[in-house]
Amino acid sequence: MKERFDVSGMTCASCQANVQKAVQKLGVNDVNVNLISESMTVDYDSDKISNDDIIKAVEKIGYGASPKDKDRSSEINLKEHEEMSTISRLKISFLFLIPLMYLEMGPMINLPIPSFLEGRAGAINNAFVQFLLALPVIFVNRKFFVSGFKSLVNKAPNMDTLVALGAGAATIFGIFAIMRMSYALGLNDTQVLDHYRHNIYFESSATILTLITLGKYFEARSKGETKASLKHLMDLAPKTAKVIKNGEEIEVAIEEIEIGDTIVVRPGESIPVDGIVTKGSSLVDQAAITGESIPVNKNPGDEVISASINKQGSFQFRAKRVGENTTISQIISLVNEANETKAPIAKLADKISAIFVPMVIVIAILTFTISAYLTKDFEFALNLMIAVLVISCPCALGLATPMAIMVSTGKSAELGLLFKSAESLENLHKIDSILLDKTGTITEGKPVVTDVYTKMDDKEFISIARSIEEASEHPLSNAIVEFANSKNIGPKETSDFNSITGMGLEAKIDGKIYYAGNIKLMNDKNISVKDFEERSISYSEEGKTSMYFADENEVLGLIAVQDLAKDSSIKAIEKLKAMGYHIAMLTGDNEKTAEAIRKKLAIDEKYAEVLPQDKDKVVRKLQESGKNVAMVGDGINDAPALARSDIGIAIGSGTDIAIDSADVVLIKNSLLDIVNSIRLSSKTIKIIKENLFWAFFYNIILIPVAAGILYPRYGITLNPMFAALAMSISSVFVCLNSLRLRNFKPEEEESKEENIIIKENEMSELNKMIVKVDGMSCENCAKHVTEALESVSGIKEVNVNLENKEANVEYFGSVDEDEISKAISEAGYEYKGIEYK
C-alpha cells in the first residue's frame, strides 16, 4: 500500500537523504521524500510494516512524521504557525544583534560607546554585555542546536548540525575569551587582555544564527510562492453544495455528495463535483481547469467539471464523479504525485547530499588541525573552522531540483498540462519523434458533411438523403442529419427502412424506393453511377468518404463526409515540425485516405490500416530505429501504445484507461499543448541545471576559500559572518531562479482579447429567433420582457416589438425553451411560443 506522511524538521538535502535512508532500512518497497512540500510517500507491505514503524524510524533520527492530513486544515495552521514563529525569531534576533554589532564594530569607526565598556578597563564589561546580548539570539534560535546535535548523536548530521557546530564553537570560544581576560586582568597581563578583547566572536555566533534564519524565512516565502498554483487549484472547489433531496433544496458539505445526487448551481457559484446537466442552461467558465478563455455554453446532456464557475443562468445537474474522483481532485493528486517523485537528474544531487555534511565536518576538523599546527594560532584556526562549517550549503543542493519541479508542475496545472511524474517532465524534452493517433487526436473525432454533388435541386436532394439516414445511428448518418438541420431542411415521411450490411440503407419515400450507401450497393442494385464515380474518387483522394444516393433507376447525387482536422492540430503540427520533430500519423484508414490526410497536414510519415491491437507495434518499430517516441492518443485501444512509448500523452477528453496509461495529460484537448509541454519541460531542465551548477560551483569554490587555501599566498580569509550571509544568499538564489518558471508564457493561437472578440461575434451571429409574448402594452412592459429574456443563458441581444407582441432574440449555442417560458411568466407576461429564423 501507499501512504503519504508529513515530515517536520527537514532543512536541507542531507535531512531529506537521512529520512529516506532511515525509512528504507525498514524494508519498504519505495520511499520518496519531498523537501519543498515537507512530505513523504511510502510504498510498503502493511502486513510487515505499520505506520507507527515508519513514524518511529523518522523520529529516531531527530525529525517528526505523521500521516498526511487529508483536509489540510491542520497542515495549513501548522505552516502559518511556523511562519509566525520564524518572523518572531527574526524580530528578536535583529533587536539584539544590532546593539551587539554596534558594541563590536562601533569603536572601529570611532562611534561612541558607554565609558564603562571602553578600553582595557571596560574590556570584561564589554565582553560580558556582548554575551548577554547574544544569549537571547541563541535562545530563540535554539532549534538549530536541538536539531543539529540530535542528528549528530543519531549519526545523521544535517545542515543544522553545521550551523550548531559553527555558532556553538564561536559562543564557547567567546566564553573562553571572557575567562582568559578575567585571569589576565588579575595578573595585570595587558598583552593577553588586548589579544582576547579583539577576538570575542559572540557577534559571529549571533550573526550566523540571524542570517541563516533570515535565509530560511526568504526560502519559506519562496516555497509558498512555489505552492501558490496548487493552493489556487485547491481553493477553487466550493466547500458546500445545494442538493435536492426529497423535493427540498438543502446545503450539504461537498464530502457528503453521492453519485446520482441532483445539485443546483446558481450564477456566480462554483460547480462542486463532475456531472451531467439535467435541467436549465448556462455559460460556464472552465478557464481554471482547461485554460479555455471563452465560457462554454452548457445545456441538458452536457458534462460540467468540478471547480469551474457558473457565469449566467441557473441549472441542475446529476453528480457523476464525487470525492477523490472529481476532475479537480485528480488534477491535485497528479500534481502532488509528480512533486513527490524524483527526476533522474536529481539522483546525482541525492548521492552527494548523503555524504555532504559528514564530509564538511571532516574538512572543518582537518582545517582546524592543520591551521593550528602550521600557524600555532588557535584563534585563527578556530576562525577558519567556523567559516567552513557555516559556508557549506547543502540547502542549495537540496532545493535545486525539487524547487524547479514544484514550480513547473504547478504552472503546468494552471495551463491544463498534467505531468504524472518528475521523470516524465524531464524526459519529454528528449523525444525526437511524435506519433499522433488520427481520430479524435488530430481530428475532431466526429465526421461532418464537406461536399454535396447533385444534378437535382439541392434542397430536395438533401431532404431525400436526410430522410433515408434519419433512422440510422451510424456516425455518417448523424453527420448528414446534422447538416440538414443546419440548413433547416426537414425529413420526408419514410417507410420500409432496411439496413443492408456492409453496403448501406434502403427506404421508401412516397411509395418510391431509395438507396444510400457505397459503390458496392450501387453495383448490387445494377444502378449506373455515370460520372459520379469519378467525383467519388476525387473526394477519396482528398481523404473524404463518399456516399451514393439513388432511386431504383439512377444515382441522384453524392454526399462527401470527412472527420476534419482541428485548427489547433494543423498549427501544432506546423510548430512541431519547425522545432525539428519527426511527425508520424497512425490511422485505421486505407492507404489512399491516409495519404491524402498526410499530404494535407504536411505530416512526415503515415501508418495506414493499422488495427487497434497493432498500434504498440508501430511504437516499437520507431523505437527500434533509434527514435525517442512520444505517442499521443485518446482511446482505449491507444493505451498499450501509450504505455510502450518513451512518453505517453493522453488527450483530456479521452478514455480513463488512456489517461491512466499516459505520462502527460492535455486537459484542453488541443495538440498545441504538446508544444507548450515540450517548451516547459526544456525550460524546467534548464533551470534545474542552472540551480545544480550554482550549488556545486558555490560549494566547490567557497569551501576551500573558507578553509584558508588563499591565505598563505594572498592573505585572504573568510569572516564567519560573511560566510553565513553567502550561505543564505545561495539558498535564496536557487529559490528565486526556480520561481522564474512561473513567468512561462504558453504559445497562443491568437491574443486572448482578439480571440474573445472574434468568438463572441461569431456566436452572436449564429442563431436568431422570435419569441411571442402576450400582455405587453407599453415601453415599461418592453423593458421588463427584455430584462427577463437577457437573464436566460446564451441570449446575446433582445429587441422587443410592441406592435407585433414579439421579441427578436439573437443567441448562440442553444437555449432552453422552458427557461424562456419561465422567465417571461415570472416577469408577469404570457409566453406564446417561438419562431426560429
Side-chain angles (χ1 to χ4, degrees), residues 1-41:
M1 66 176 288
K2 266 191 179 182
E3 189 72 46
R4 296 179 69 208
F5 296 83
D6 287 314
V7 182
S8 59
M10 293 193 298
T11 56
C12 67
S14 294
C15 300
Q16 180 181 332
N18 291 335
V19 171
Q20 188 149 332
K21 202 184 295 178
V23 177
Q24 281 173 338
K25 285 179 181 176
L26 295 175
V28 298
N29 301 326
D30 189 34
V31 56
N32 272 311
V33 182
N34 189 307
L35 179 63
I36 309 298
S37 60
E38 296 174 86
S39 62
M40 169 176 69
T41 303

mmCIF file of all heavy atoms in Angstrom, residues 1-41:
data_model
loop_
_atom_site.group_PDB
_atom_site.id
_atom_site.type_symbol
_atom_site.label_atom_id
_atom_site.label_comp_id
_atom_site.label_asym_id
_atom_site.label_seq_id
_atom_site.Cartn_x
_atom_site.Cartn_y
_atom_site.Cartn_z
ATOM 1 N N MET A 1 0.829 -1.192 0.000
ATOM 2 C CA MET A 1 0.000 0.000 0.000
ATOM 3 C C MET A 1 0.871 1.253 0.000
ATOM 4 O O MET A 1 2.034 1.213 0.374
ATOM 5 C CB MET A 1 -0.933 0.019 1.213
ATOM 6 C CG MET A 1 -0.234 0.141 2.568
ATOM 7 S SD MET A 1 -1.381 0.275 3.959
ATOM 8 C CE MET A 1 -2.028 1.915 3.745
ATOM 9 N N LYS A 2 0.266 2.369 -0.465
ATOM 10 C CA LYS A 2 0.976 3.648 -0.484
ATOM 11 C C LYS A 2 0.362 4.573 0.554
ATOM 12 O O LYS A 2 -0.866 4.675 0.650
ATOM 13 C CB LYS A 2 0.869 4.299 -1.865
ATOM 14 C CG LYS A 2 2.035 3.995 -2.781
ATOM 15 C CD LYS A 2 1.994 4.880 -4.013
ATOM 16 C CE LYS A 2 3.195 4.568 -4.923
ATOM 17 N NZ LYS A 2 3.224 5.433 -6.106
ATOM 18 N N GLU A 3 1.222 5.230 1.310
ATOM 19 C CA GLU A 3 0.751 6.164 2.343
ATOM 20 C C GLU A 3 1.590 7.426 2.275
ATOM 21 O O GLU A 3 2.799 7.377 2.038
ATOM 22 C CB GLU A 3 0.884 5.522 3.727
ATOM 23 C CG GLU A 3 0.235 6.323 4.848
ATOM 24 C CD GLU A 3 -1.283 6.278 4.811
ATOM 25 O OE1 GLU A 3 -1.837 5.187 4.638
ATOM 26 O OE2 GLU A 3 -1.893 7.347 4.933
ATOM 27 N N ARG A 4 0.923 8.573 2.451
ATOM 28 C CA ARG A 4 1.637 9.852 2.464
ATOM 29 C C ARG A 4 1.776 10.356 3.897
ATOM 30 O O ARG A 4 0.850 10.225 4.706
ATOM 31 C CB ARG A 4 0.906 10.887 1.612
ATOM 32 C CG ARG A 4 0.850 10.532 0.146
ATOM 33 C CD ARG A 4 0.105 11.581 -0.654
ATOM 34 N NE ARG A 4 0.857 12.815 -0.724
ATOM 35 C CZ ARG A 4 0.300 14.023 -0.858
ATOM 36 N NH1 ARG A 4 -0.998 14.139 -0.928
ATOM 37 N NH2 ARG A 4 1.053 15.096 -0.927
ATOM 38 N N PHE A 5 2.935 10.945 4.197
ATOM 39 C CA PHE A 5 3.217 11.460 5.540
ATOM 40 C C PHE A 5 3.708 12.905 5.452
ATOM 41 O O PHE A 5 4.376 13.286 4.490
ATOM 42 C CB PHE A 5 4.323 10.634 6.223
ATOM 43 C CG PHE A 5 3.959 9.197 6.475
ATOM 44 C CD1 PHE A 5 4.089 8.240 5.480
ATOM 45 C CD2 PHE A 5 3.479 8.787 7.715
ATOM 46 C CE1 PHE A 5 3.761 6.912 5.696
ATOM 47 C CE2 PHE A 5 3.153 7.458 7.949
ATOM 48 C CZ PHE A 5 3.293 6.524 6.938
ATOM 49 N N ASP A 6 3.367 13.684 6.466
ATOM 50 C CA ASP A 6 4.000 14.992 6.654
ATOM 51 C C ASP A 6 5.273 14.762 7.450
ATOM 52 O O ASP A 6 5.272 13.998 8.428
ATOM 53 C CB ASP A 6 3.075 15.940 7.434
ATOM 54 C CG ASP A 6 1.908 16.410 6.586
ATOM 55 O OD1 ASP A 6 2.147 16.789 5.435
ATOM 56 O OD2 ASP A 6 0.762 16.390 7.081
ATOM 57 N N VAL A 7 6.370 15.416 7.051
ATOM 58 C CA VAL A 7 7.644 15.286 7.757
ATOM 59 C C VAL A 7 8.085 16.665 8.218
ATOM 60 O O VAL A 7 8.168 17.593 7.414
ATOM 61 C CB VAL A 7 8.733 14.668 6.843
ATOM 62 C CG1 VAL A 7 10.037 14.507 7.611
ATOM 63 C CG2 VAL A 7 8.267 13.325 6.303
ATOM 64 N N SER A 8 8.365 16.820 9.502
ATOM 65 C CA SER A 8 8.789 18.117 10.035
ATOM 66 C C SER A 8 10.262 18.067 10.424
ATOM 67 O O SER A 8 10.808 17.007 10.715
ATOM 68 C CB SER A 8 7.944 18.492 11.257
ATOM 69 O OG SER A 8 8.057 17.508 12.260
ATOM 70 N N GLY A 9 10.891 19.236 10.397
ATOM 71 C CA GLY A 9 12.278 19.352 10.857
ATOM 72 C C GLY A 9 13.311 19.258 9.766
ATOM 73 O O GLY A 9 14.504 19.418 10.018
ATOM 74 N N MET A 10 12.887 19.004 8.494
ATOM 75 C CA MET A 10 13.870 18.923 7.405
ATOM 76 C C MET A 10 14.276 20.333 6.980
ATOM 77 O O MET A 10 13.413 21.197 6.794
ATOM 78 C CB MET A 10 13.284 18.174 6.204
ATOM 79 C CG MET A 10 13.011 16.714 6.446
ATOM 80 S SD MET A 10 12.673 15.825 4.888
ATOM 81 C CE MET A 10 11.207 16.661 4.303
ATOM 82 N N THR A 11 15.576 20.546 6.806
ATOM 83 C CA THR A 11 16.057 21.870 6.404
ATOM 84 C C THR A 11 16.945 21.838 5.171
ATOM 85 O O THR A 11 17.246 22.881 4.604
ATOM 86 C CB THR A 11 16.847 22.527 7.554
ATOM 87 O OG1 THR A 11 17.907 21.641 7.943
ATOM 88 C CG2 THR A 11 15.959 22.814 8.751
ATOM 89 N N CYS A 12 17.425 20.669 4.769
ATOM 90 C CA CYS A 12 18.374 20.622 3.649
ATOM 91 C C CYS A 12 18.334 19.257 2.975
ATOM 92 O O CYS A 12 17.610 18.356 3.401
ATOM 93 C CB CYS A 12 19.784 20.918 4.145
ATOM 94 S SG CYS A 12 20.424 19.633 5.240
ATOM 95 N N ALA A 13 19.160 19.125 1.939
ATOM 96 C CA ALA A 13 19.214 17.870 1.191
ATOM 97 C C ALA A 13 19.687 16.704 2.057
ATOM 98 O O ALA A 13 19.264 15.562 1.871
ATOM 99 C CB ALA A 13 20.144 18.033 -0.010
ATOM 100 N N SER A 14 20.566 16.991 3.012
ATOM 101 C CA SER A 14 21.052 15.928 3.896
ATOM 102 C C SER A 14 19.918 15.395 4.773
ATOM 103 O O SER A 14 19.841 14.196 5.043
ATOM 104 C CB SER A 14 22.193 16.446 4.771
ATOM 105 O OG SER A 14 23.308 16.750 3.965
ATOM 106 N N CYS A 15 19.059 16.316 5.230
ATOM 107 C CA CYS A 15 17.880 15.892 6.013
ATOM 108 C C CYS A 15 17.027 14.943 5.175
ATOM 109 O O CYS A 15 16.589 13.888 5.645
ATOM 110 C CB CYS A 15 17.029 17.094 6.410
ATOM 111 S SG CYS A 15 17.861 18.321 7.398
ATOM 112 N N GLN A 16 16.788 15.361 3.931
ATOM 113 C CA GLN A 16 15.980 14.548 3.014
ATOM 114 C C GLN A 16 16.604 13.162 2.834
ATOM 115 O O GLN A 16 15.913 12.142 2.915
ATOM 116 C CB GLN A 16 15.898 15.284 1.677
ATOM 117 C CG GLN A 16 15.095 14.572 0.604
ATOM 118 C CD GLN A 16 15.086 15.361 -0.695
ATOM 119 O OE1 GLN A 16 15.193 16.575 -0.707
ATOM 120 N NE2 GLN A 16 14.960 14.661 -1.796
ATOM 121 N N ALA A 17 17.918 13.137 2.627
ATOM 122 C CA ALA A 17 18.625 11.864 2.432
ATOM 123 C C ALA A 17 18.578 11.011 3.695
ATOM 124 O O ALA A 17 18.400 9.783 3.631
ATOM 125 C CB ALA A 17 20.073 12.136 2.036
ATOM 126 N N ASN A 18 18.692 11.656 4.875
ATOM 127 C CA ASN A 18 18.672 10.924 6.143
ATOM 128 C C ASN A 18 17.319 10.269 6.387
ATOM 129 O O ASN A 18 17.236 9.107 6.807
ATOM 130 C CB ASN A 18 19.001 11.865 7.310
ATOM 131 C CG ASN A 18 20.449 12.318 7.280
ATOM 132 O OD1 ASN A 18 21.307 11.640 6.726
ATOM 133 N ND2 ASN A 18 20.721 13.474 7.865
ATOM 134 N N VAL A 19 16.248 11.032 6.124
ATOM 135 C CA VAL A 19 14.891 10.493 6.312
ATOM 136 C C VAL A 19 14.663 9.322 5.357
ATOM 137 O O VAL A 19 14.140 8.275 5.752
ATOM 138 C CB VAL A 19 13.826 11.598 6.101
ATOM 139 C CG1 VAL A 19 12.423 10.995 6.086
ATOM 140 C CG2 VAL A 19 13.924 12.660 7.189
ATOM 141 N N GLN A 20 15.070 9.499 4.111
ATOM 142 C CA GLN A 20 14.885 8.445 3.116
ATOM 143 C C GLN A 20 15.630 7.169 3.515
ATOM 144 O O GLN A 20 15.095 6.064 3.436
ATOM 145 C CB GLN A 20 15.380 8.950 1.753
ATOM 146 C CG GLN A 20 15.051 8.003 0.615
ATOM 147 C CD GLN A 20 14.828 8.741 -0.702
ATOM 148 O OE1 GLN A 20 14.425 9.883 -0.721
ATOM 149 N NE2 GLN A 20 15.075 8.061 -1.789
ATOM 150 N N LYS A 21 16.869 7.351 3.985
ATOM 151 C CA LYS A 21 17.695 6.209 4.365
ATOM 152 C C LYS A 21 17.091 5.472 5.561
ATOM 153 O O LYS A 21 17.053 4.236 5.593
ATOM 154 C CB LYS A 21 19.098 6.718 4.727
ATOM 155 C CG LYS A 21 20.185 5.638 4.626
ATOM 156 C CD LYS A 21 21.533 6.191 5.087
ATOM 157 C CE LYS A 21 22.035 7.282 4.177
ATOM 158 N NZ LYS A 21 23.318 7.854 4.644
ATOM 159 N N ALA A 22 16.582 6.260 6.546
ATOM 160 C CA ALA A 22 16.013 5.656 7.757
ATOM 161 C C ALA A 22 14.791 4.804 7.433
ATOM 162 O O ALA A 22 14.612 3.709 7.983
ATOM 163 C CB ALA A 22 15.637 6.757 8.749
ATOM 164 N N VAL A 23 13.941 5.293 6.520
ATOM 165 C CA VAL A 23 12.720 4.556 6.161
ATOM 166 C C VAL A 23 13.061 3.352 5.275
ATOM 167 O O VAL A 23 12.456 2.280 5.403
ATOM 168 C CB VAL A 23 11.698 5.489 5.471
ATOM 169 C CG1 VAL A 23 10.461 4.712 5.022
ATOM 170 C CG2 VAL A 23 11.287 6.615 6.419
ATOM 171 N N GLN A 24 14.038 3.506 4.386
ATOM 172 C CA GLN A 24 14.445 2.396 3.518
ATOM 173 C C GLN A 24 14.955 1.210 4.331
ATOM 174 O O GLN A 24 14.770 0.057 3.943
ATOM 175 C CB GLN A 24 15.528 2.864 2.540
ATOM 176 C CG GLN A 24 14.974 3.637 1.350
ATOM 177 C CD GLN A 24 16.063 4.239 0.481
ATOM 178 O OE1 GLN A 24 17.190 4.452 0.936
ATOM 179 N NE2 GLN A 24 15.733 4.536 -0.771
ATOM 180 N N LYS A 25 15.589 1.490 5.485
ATOM 181 C CA LYS A 25 16.130 0.425 6.327
ATOM 182 C C LYS A 25 15.040 -0.499 6.878
ATOM 183 O O LYS A 25 15.322 -1.623 7.281
ATOM 184 C CB LYS A 25 16.918 1.027 7.495
ATOM 185 C CG LYS A 25 18.291 1.570 7.087
ATOM 186 C CD LYS A 25 19.005 2.168 8.289
ATOM 187 C CE LYS A 25 20.365 2.732 7.889
ATOM 188 N NZ LYS A 25 21.034 3.408 9.017
ATOM 189 N N LEU A 26 13.785 -0.013 6.864
ATOM 190 C CA LEU A 26 12.672 -0.832 7.365
ATOM 191 C C LEU A 26 12.301 -1.935 6.369
ATOM 192 O O LEU A 26 11.548 -2.846 6.715
ATOM 193 C CB LEU A 26 11.444 0.045 7.623
ATOM 194 C CG LEU A 26 11.572 1.107 8.729
ATOM 195 C CD1 LEU A 26 10.319 1.973 8.760
ATOM 196 C CD2 LEU A 26 11.786 0.452 10.088
ATOM 197 N N GLY A 27 12.790 -1.817 5.125
ATOM 198 C CA GLY A 27 12.456 -2.821 4.106
ATOM 199 C C GLY A 27 11.232 -2.464 3.290
ATOM 200 O O GLY A 27 10.532 -3.352 2.793
ATOM 201 N N VAL A 28 10.960 -1.161 3.129
ATOM 202 C CA VAL A 28 9.805 -0.729 2.333
ATOM 203 C C VAL A 28 10.099 -0.938 0.849
ATOM 204 O O VAL A 28 11.249 -1.079 0.440
ATOM 205 C CB VAL A 28 9.476 0.766 2.605
ATOM 206 C CG1 VAL A 28 9.112 0.968 4.045
ATOM 207 C CG2 VAL A 28 10.633 1.677 2.201
ATOM 208 N N ASN A 29 9.033 -0.959 0.024
ATOM 209 C CA ASN A 29 9.202 -1.139 -1.421
ATOM 210 C C ASN A 29 9.808 0.100 -2.066
ATOM 211 O O ASN A 29 10.678 0.007 -2.931
ATOM 212 C CB ASN A 29 7.852 -1.450 -2.092
ATOM 213 C CG ASN A 29 7.229 -2.712 -1.524
ATOM 214 O OD1 ASN A 29 7.938 -3.644 -1.157
ATOM 215 N ND2 ASN A 29 5.906 -2.744 -1.437
ATOM 216 N N ASP A 30 9.327 1.258 -1.640
ATOM 217 C CA ASP A 30 9.815 2.512 -2.224
ATOM 218 C C ASP A 30 9.500 3.663 -1.284
ATOM 219 O O ASP A 30 8.499 3.616 -0.548
ATOM 220 C CB ASP A 30 9.140 2.751 -3.586
ATOM 221 C CG ASP A 30 9.752 3.911 -4.345
ATOM 222 O OD1 ASP A 30 10.979 4.111 -4.212
ATOM 223 O OD2 ASP A 30 9.020 4.617 -5.054
ATOM 224 N N VAL A 31 10.352 4.695 -1.291
ATOM 225 C CA VAL A 31 10.093 5.887 -0.492
ATOM 226 C C VAL A 31 10.604 7.110 -1.245
ATOM 227 O O VAL A 31 11.690 7.087 -1.821
ATOM 228 C CB VAL A 31 10.745 5.790 0.916
ATOM 229 C CG1 VAL A 31 12.241 5.530 0.813
ATOM 230 C CG2 VAL A 31 10.502 7.064 1.723
ATOM 231 N N ASN A 32 9.777 8.140 -1.281
ATOM 232 C CA ASN A 32 10.164 9.414 -1.887
ATOM 233 C C ASN A 32 9.923 10.529 -0.885
ATOM 234 O O ASN A 32 8.803 10.691 -0.387
ATOM 235 C CB ASN A 32 9.346 9.687 -3.152
ATOM 236 C CG ASN A 32 9.986 9.088 -4.382
ATOM 237 O OD1 ASN A 32 11.176 9.282 -4.618
ATOM 238 N ND2 ASN A 32 9.208 8.342 -5.155
ATOM 239 N N VAL A 33 10.965 11.289 -0.586
ATOM 240 C CA VAL A 33 10.866 12.385 0.386
ATOM 241 C C VAL A 33 10.969 13.698 -0.378
ATOM 242 O O VAL A 33 11.874 13.886 -1.192
ATOM 243 C CB VAL A 33 11.985 12.298 1.445
ATOM 244 C CG1 VAL A 33 11.829 13.413 2.472
ATOM 245 C CG2 VAL A 33 11.966 10.941 2.133
ATOM 246 N N ASN A 34 10.020 14.612 -0.122
ATOM 247 C CA ASN A 34 9.998 15.908 -0.799
ATOM 248 C C ASN A 34 10.341 17.002 0.196
ATOM 249 O O ASN A 34 9.616 17.234 1.156
ATOM 250 C CB ASN A 34 8.615 16.162 -1.404
ATOM 251 C CG ASN A 34 8.602 17.372 -2.302
ATOM 252 O OD1 ASN A 34 9.012 18.457 -1.903
ATOM 253 N ND2 ASN A 34 8.123 17.199 -3.519
ATOM 254 N N LEU A 35 11.493 17.667 -0.058
ATOM 255 C CA LEU A 35 11.961 18.719 0.847
ATOM 256 C C LEU A 35 11.061 19.945 0.792
ATOM 257 O O LEU A 35 10.819 20.584 1.821
ATOM 258 C CB LEU A 35 13.403 19.106 0.462
ATOM 259 C CG LEU A 35 14.081 20.210 1.267
ATOM 260 C CD1 LEU A 35 14.248 19.797 2.723
ATOM 261 C CD2 LEU A 35 15.433 20.553 0.663
ATOM 262 N N ILE A 36 10.563 20.278 -0.392
ATOM 263 C CA ILE A 36 9.770 21.506 -0.555
ATOM 264 C C ILE A 36 8.422 21.402 0.154
ATOM 265 O O ILE A 36 8.033 22.271 0.921
ATOM 266 C CB ILE A 36 9.522 21.816 -2.048
ATOM 267 C CG1 ILE A 36 10.830 21.789 -2.821
ATOM 268 C CG2 ILE A 36 8.836 23.160 -2.215
ATOM 269 C CD1 ILE A 36 11.839 22.801 -2.403
ATOM 270 N N SER A 37 7.698 20.299 -0.117
ATOM 271 C CA SER A 37 6.367 20.152 0.496
ATOM 272 C C SER A 37 6.442 19.520 1.875
ATOM 273 O O SER A 37 5.425 19.352 2.537
ATOM 274 C CB SER A 37 5.456 19.307 -0.406
ATOM 275 O OG SER A 37 6.010 18.019 -0.592
ATOM 276 N N GLU A 38 7.687 19.172 2.303
ATOM 277 C CA GLU A 38 7.905 18.549 3.619
ATOM 278 C C GLU A 38 6.973 17.353 3.805
ATOM 279 O O GLU A 38 6.230 17.257 4.779
ATOM 280 C CB GLU A 38 7.721 19.582 4.733
ATOM 281 C CG GLU A 38 8.747 20.693 4.684
ATOM 282 C CD GLU A 38 8.490 21.792 5.688
ATOM 283 O OE1 GLU A 38 8.938 21.627 6.824
ATOM 284 O OE2 GLU A 38 7.835 22.778 5.331
ATOM 285 N N SER A 39 7.026 16.476 2.820
ATOM 286 C CA SER A 39 6.165 15.300 2.839
ATOM 287 C C SER A 39 6.939 14.086 2.341
ATOM 288 O O SER A 39 8.043 14.204 1.815
ATOM 289 C CB SER A 39 4.923 15.528 1.977
ATOM 290 O OG SER A 39 5.295 15.734 0.642
ATOM 291 N N MET A 40 6.316 12.924 2.510
ATOM 292 C CA MET A 40 6.974 11.670 2.144
ATOM 293 C C MET A 40 5.900 10.682 1.687
ATOM 294 O O MET A 40 4.831 10.573 2.292
ATOM 295 C CB MET A 40 7.718 11.135 3.385
ATOM 296 C CG MET A 40 8.238 9.719 3.268
ATOM 297 S SD MET A 40 9.202 9.253 4.747
ATOM 298 C CE MET A 40 7.901 9.181 6.011
ATOM 299 N N THR A 41 6.179 9.983 0.596
ATOM 300 C CA THR A 41 5.284 8.932 0.123
ATOM 301 C C THR A 41 6.007 7.594 0.277
ATOM 302 O O THR A 41 7.131 7.438 -0.211
ATOM 303 C CB THR A 41 4.910 9.149 -1.353
ATOM 304 O OG1 THR A 41 4.323 10.433 -1.501
ATOM 305 C CG2 THR A 41 3.926 8.096 -1.827
#
